[in-house]
């Protein structure tokens, strides 16, 4: 049975996700079936560009329809919780862009709802599904790096003036926008929650995030036998212990991406989602509910330290 995707919002990240999906050589038995946006003109233009058959002028209408099986949520951060909740409560699986929610309480609420309704839910940390992440994990598990003791990840870009970073009402902060990539990388490598500023056994993660300048934007894993380095956001190269470089090419598209061409890697999330749903899973072992809960807890802790408080932090969620 074909898995039918509904795209929520006709914005930039949704454009790149659909473009990556539609241009991939073999996505299996799944299609982009519908798009919804509050502005019908934008939704119609989006559908025309990407050859999508069904258009909705409200998220409610798409959530209640029988035209889709799963929703991709590309909305702004403050809308993630309520839109994801809407689709889950209407019997739809959900892949929601990072950050899954503004805080840990909201994430826990969505995890509860997905389990109660027996529906798949995943946070769209696209890096997790790249071939390079898989290759790095294989090397670590094989003991090639020895005992992993240190992780360093840097992500910086001059984007401080962008509304989604600077406006509090939009869930603004570099922590949730790009900091999530550094936090999740340490989590991906150590497979554990840190104890204060260090992990168990003296393991350390040094994470740098800056929204005012361009940083190195790479991640390094250091073990007792050596180190490996890769680009941080969506990696396509991996530098091995002996200095050799492993490269993974991405598929091309006739339609330009809003981001650079690495956005083609967004399709790997869709491949993972389909595989999990076919198996009857409610979460991905590569980006589990626990991973999202720990990530949200870390984001909350960092925000608290730097004094970023959202109104929803004072609310309770079912």
């Amino acid at each position: 049975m074909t898995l039918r995707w509904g795209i929520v919002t006709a914005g930039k990240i949704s454009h790149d996700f659909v473009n990556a999906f539609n241009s991939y050589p073999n996505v299996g038995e799944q299609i982009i079936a519908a798009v919804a946006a509050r502005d019908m003109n934008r939704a119609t233009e989006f559908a025309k560009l990407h050859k999508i058959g069904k258009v909705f002028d409200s998220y409610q209408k798409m959530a209640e329809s029988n035209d889709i099986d799963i929703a991709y949520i590309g909305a702004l951060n403050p809308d993630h919780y309520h839109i994801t909740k809407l689709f889950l409560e209407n019997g739809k699986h959900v892949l929601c862009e990072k950050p899954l929610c503004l805080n840990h309480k909201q994430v826990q609420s969505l995890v509860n709802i997905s389990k109660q309704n027996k529906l798949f839910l995943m946070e769209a940390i696209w890096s997790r599904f790249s071939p390079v992440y898989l290759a790095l994990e294989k090397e670590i598990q094989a003991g090639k790096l020895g005992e992993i003791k240190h992780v360093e990840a840097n992500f910086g870009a001059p984007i401080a003036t962008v509304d989604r970073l600077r406006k509090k009402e939009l869930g603004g902060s570099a922590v949730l926008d790009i900091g999530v990539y550094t936090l999740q990388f340490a989590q991906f490598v150590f497979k554990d929650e840190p104890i204060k500023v260090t992990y168990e056994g003296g393991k350390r993660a040094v994470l740098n995030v800056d929204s005012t300048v361009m940083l190195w934007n790479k991640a390094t894993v250091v073990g007792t036998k050596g180190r490996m380095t890769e680009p941080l956001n969506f990696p396509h190269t991996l530098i091995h212990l002996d200095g050799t470089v492993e490269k993974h090419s991405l598929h091309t598209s006739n339609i330009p991406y809003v981001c650079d061409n690495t956005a083609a890697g967004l399709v790997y999330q869709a491949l993972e989602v389909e595989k999990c749903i076919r198996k009857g899973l409610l979460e991905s072992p590569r980006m589990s509910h626990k991973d999202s809960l720990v990530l949200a807890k870390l984001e909350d802790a960092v925000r608290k330290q730097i004094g970023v408080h959202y109104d929803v932090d004072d609310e309770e969620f079912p």
Side-chain angles (χ1 to χ4, degrees), residues 170-200:
L170 296 182
S173 81
V175 175
L176 298 187
D177 193 81
I178 57 177
V180 61
Y181 290 113
T182 61
L183 289 169
Q184 72 83 27
F185 184 77
Q187 180 192 45
F188 171 77
V189 173
F190 287 139
K191 309 294 185 190
D192 202 358
E193 185 175 348
I195 304 169
K196 293 185 178 180
V197 295
T198 59
Y199 287 78
E200 187 177 359

Side-chain angles (χ1 to χ4, degrees), residues 89-217:
E89 290 181 339
N90 278 278
K92 308 302 189 292
H93 305 292
V94 173
L95 170 65
C96 180
E97 265 304 329
K98 57 79 187 169
L100 181 54
C101 294
L102 290 182
N103 62 28
H104 180 271
K105 290 187 290 186
Q106 288 186 328
V107 173
Q108 184 65 69
S109 175
L110 292 184
V111 167
N112 294 343
I113 294 169
S114 74
K115 289 181 177 178
Q116 289 165 7
N117 290 278
K118 294 181 172 56
L119 292 164
F120 182 86
L121 171 68
M122 190 177 87
E123 183 174 8
I125 303 290
W126 66 321
S127 312
R128 287 279 175 106
F129 309 99
S130 70
V132 165
Y133 261 58
L134 302 183
L136 174 62
E137 186 174 54
K138 185 177 180 180
E139 296 285 84
I140 291 173
Q141 291 176 345
K144 297 289 183 66
L145 289 170
E147 182 184 0
I148 307 301
K149 303 292 289 185
H150 182 85
V151 166
E152 182 174 352
N154 300 277
F155 198 173
I159 54 176
T161 59
V162 176
D163 283 351
R164 72 173 190 272
L165 273 90
R166 70 184 185 86
K167 290 188 175 182
K168 194 174 182 180
E169 63 269 24
L170 296 182
S173 81
V175 175
L176 298 187
D177 193 81
I178 57 177
V180 61
Y181 290 113
T182 61
L183 289 169
Q184 72 83 27
F185 184 77
Q187 180 192 45
F188 171 77
V189 173
F190 287 139
K191 309 294 185 190
D192 202 358
E193 185 175 348
I195 304 169
K196 293 185 178 180
V197 295
T198 59
Y199 287 78
E200 187 177 359
K203 300 170 184 175
R204 295 181 61 225
V206 179
L207 312 175
N208 298 305
V209 178
D210 200 310
S211 62
T212 63
V213 296
M214 184 68 71
L215 296 181
W216 192 38
N217 296 347

